[in-house]
Amino acid sequence: QVHLVESGGDLVQPGGSLRLSCAASGLQSGYGATAWFRQPPGKEREGVSCLNPSDGTTYYAASAKGRFTISRSSADNTVYLQMENLRPEDTATYYCATDPMMYCDGDGLSEPDFTSWGQGTQVTVSS
C-alpha cells in the first residue's frame, strides 16, 4: 500500500520561498506520476505540477510556471516542490498524489486520475 507524507509548509512573506517534500513508501519499481495539488481556502482543489519518473518529464499549471520546480530523489522516493516568489494567492493546503498507471502529458491534472493522496501541508503567504 502506498503511503504519502507531505511536509515543509509554513507561513512565509510574499516574495519568499518554500520547499515542500512528499515522502513516499510502498512504491513499486516503474510507478506512475506524482503530482502536487493545492486547495486554497474556500475553493476547489487544483493541480499545480506533475512529474513522470519514467522519463523525468514535468508539467506545470499556468499559475506555477516560472516560479515552481518539481523534482524527485529516487534514492529516498521523495518528490519536492520548490516554490519561489510566493504570492498571497499561493496560500493553500498542498497535497501530493500518485497513481501506478498515471502519466502526465500536459493535458491538465485531474484528481480522479490519482489514487493515493497525502494528508496535506499548509502554506500561508502573508505579510
Side-chain angles (χ1 to χ4, degrees):
Q1 185 175 358
V2 176
H3 186 55
L4 304 176
V5 179
E6 303 96 333
S7 61
D10 205 347
L11 170 64
V12 62
Q13 292 188 344
S17 302
L18 278 177
R19 188 176 79 159
L20 306 183
S21 300
C22 173
S25 59
L27 295 179
Q28 302 295 324
S29 177
Y31 215 79
T34 297
W36 285 96
F37 287 77
R38 69 184 183 185
Q39 187 166 19
K43 297 184 179 180
E44 294 186 351
R45 194 148 52 181
E46 61 186 17
V48 176
S49 183
C50 187
L51 182 147
N52 297 306
S54 59
D55 57 14
T57 54
T58 57
Y59 162 84
Y60 295 95
S63 60
K65 281 182 180 177
R67 299 189 301 126
F68 295 2
T69 304
I70 191 170
S71 62
R72 174 177 173 262
S73 168
S74 58
D76 57 4
N77 268 335
T78 300
V79 173
Y80 302 97
L81 186 67
Q82 179 69 41
M83 305 187 293
E84 307 286 347
N85 191 22
L86 284 161
R87 306 164 180 166
E89 54 264 38
D90 294 318
T91 295
T93 301
Y94 284 72
Y95 301 88
C96 64
T98 192
D99 185 89
M101 302 302 294
M102 185 61 188
Y103 183 87
C104 295
D105 57 7
D107 195 24
L109 295 174
S110 178
E111 290 184 59
D113 290 335
F114 295 88
T115 52
S116 297
W117 291 79
Q119 84 290 347
T121 186
Q122 178 66 37
V123 173
T124 302
V125 185
S126 175
S127 55

